[in-house]
Each structure stands twice: as C-alpha cells, then as structure tokens.
C-alpha cells in the first residue's frame, strides 16, 4: 500500500470532546482530546471508543502528551466479543488510516504539536504499525499486542521508530502472540528496518492494559509498559 492513499481531504472531520462533545471542528468524526504539549494519536481496541481507552488517554496525558482518540466505529461500542468481532470485520482500513492521518494532522496543524506519535492496543496496535508505514506526519509508534499485514504495510516504509509491546502468555496466534512478536522482529530485519524494538512482558496475556477487563488487566505491568512507551515517545518526539 502506497502513502498516496492518504488524501489530505478529511471525509468525516473532527468533534472535540471530553466525555461529551464541547466544540465541533468541521464534521462528523468524534475524537477524545486531552490537554498536553506533545501530540499523540491513541487507537482503540476492537471494542470501540470506550471508557478504558479514554482512561488510557488521560493517563498518557499525565506524561505530557496531548492525546486524540478518533472514534473509528463512529459511535458504536461492542457489548461482547461477538459484537466486537463484527465491528472489527466491518472496519474499512483505508478509511481508518485516513481518520488516523487526519487526527495526526489536527494535532500538528490545529493544536500546534511539533511532532506526533501513535499508540494503540490490539486492533489499534496493528493500525499503529500500519499508520507509521503510510503516514508522513506520524514520527514514532508504540503499538501494544497487535500486528498488521507486514506484506501490505512494509516496515521498510516506516516514517519513524517503533516500540512494540506484547504479553508472554498472549494466545492470539497469528496476531499478537510471542511468535508474532518474533515474526515482527524478523520481518523488520528482513525489510531493513533497524529502528524497531520489541518488548515481551512476562506473566501477562492479551489486553493486559485494559482497565475495564479485570480478568486480564495487570496494573503493575500496565504501568511499567505505559512508562516505557512514554519514555520512548518522548525521546523520539523531541
């Protein structure tokens, strides 16, 4: 996929919101925005723009990032895993990448961030990797437990460094398992990308940062992982 797919004209535009919309910027793509000086696009899991992803954006804002979370599902939030699967399978990736690019552009041009990074979880992790290979605006990516199609989104096209984090006990083989983390590393080597790092956290599985899922959430590891992501992003967005 070439970077030319990302057109400058934004099809759905932005709504500024914190819990409920307060200001409209042009159109119909809802986003959740936090106040801080550095720009960061945060991408939802397959559940949608729910409370967990907004809580994570609030946490990342305390590290000094102005966070924008685009609502890629346009207001839909999954009730269960079956519903989440339907929403994910129906996602238009081309449009999602446009939404992400324009969220980054909004941070840079309207909110005056000098540089913009991206961070995402699960589906959002995969989209984060895809985005840094197609965007000219996003300068660093910190994906969590998700890998996109690396033949379509070549790591050799990455516009900046990548720090990918995974859980040792993640059983989603083909998407976010330890095998996939190692495949990501190997592909980076094969495609000549020398700025990709992988971190595998022991004793945790998929979605270990999701605060709304107590059966998988690990508060201690999640804090360490977000600390690491914040440090990486600060170093690469100066």
């Amino acid at each position: 996929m070439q970077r030319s797919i990302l057109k400058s004209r934004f099809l759905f535009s932005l709504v500024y919101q914190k819990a409920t919309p307060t200001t409209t910027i042009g159109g119909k793509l809802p986003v959740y925005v936090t106040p801080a000086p550095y720009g960061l696009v945060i991408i939802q899991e397959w559940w949608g723009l729910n409370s967990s992803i907004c809580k994570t954006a609030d946490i990342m804002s305390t590290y000094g990032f102005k966070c924008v979370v685009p609502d890629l599902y346009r207001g839909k939030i999954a009730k269960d895993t079956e519903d989440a699967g339907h929403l994910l399978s129906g996602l238009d990736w081309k449009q999602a990448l446009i939404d992400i690019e324009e969220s980054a552009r909004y941070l840079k041009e309207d909110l005056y961030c000098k540089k913009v990074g991206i961070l995402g979880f699960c589906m959002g992790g995969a989209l984060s990797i895809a985005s840094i290979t197609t965007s000219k605006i996003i300068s660093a990516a910190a994906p969590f437990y998700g890998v996109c199609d690396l033949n379509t989104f070549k790591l050799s096209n990455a516009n900046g460094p990548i720090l990918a984090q995974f859980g040792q006990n993640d059983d989603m083989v083909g998407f976010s398992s330890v095998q996939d983390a190692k495949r990501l590393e190997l592909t980076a080597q094969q495609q000549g990308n020398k700025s990709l790092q992988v971190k595998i956290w022991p004793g945790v599985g998929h979605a270990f940062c999701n605060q709304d899922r107590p059966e998988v959430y690990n508060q201690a590891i999640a804090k360490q992982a977000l600390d690491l992501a914040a440090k990486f992003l600060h170093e690469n967005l100066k």
Side-chain angles (χ1 to χ4, degrees), residues 131-151:
S131 293
I132 201 167
T133 70
T134 57
S135 174
K136 295 180 180 179
I137 300 175
I138 296 170
S139 299
F144 281 72
Y145 36 81
V147 179
C148 60
D149 180 351
L150 300 177
N151 291 316

Side-chain angles (χ1 to χ4, degrees), residues 83-100:
D83 195 19
H86 287 309
L87 289 172
L88 173 58
S89 64
L91 181 67
D92 180 343
W93 268 58
K94 182 177 179 180
Q95 183 59 54
L97 290 172
I98 293 172
D99 292 344
I100 292 166

Side-chain angles (χ1 to χ4, degrees), residues 29-32 44 48-49 69-77 99:
L29 172 65
V31 300
Y32 181 80
Q44 67 200 45
L49 204 166
V69 189
D71 186 355
L72 304 183
Y73 289 163
R74 304 298 193 274
K76 296 178 182 177
I77 297 177
D99 292 344

Side-chain angles (χ1 to χ4, degrees), residues 150-157 186-194:
L150 300 177
N151 291 316
T152 300
F153 302 103
K154 293 187 180 298
L155 297 172
S156 55
N157 292 332
L186 179 60
T187 303
Q189 294 171 10
Q190 293 172 339
Q191 294 183 357
N193 183 316
K194 297 181 180 179

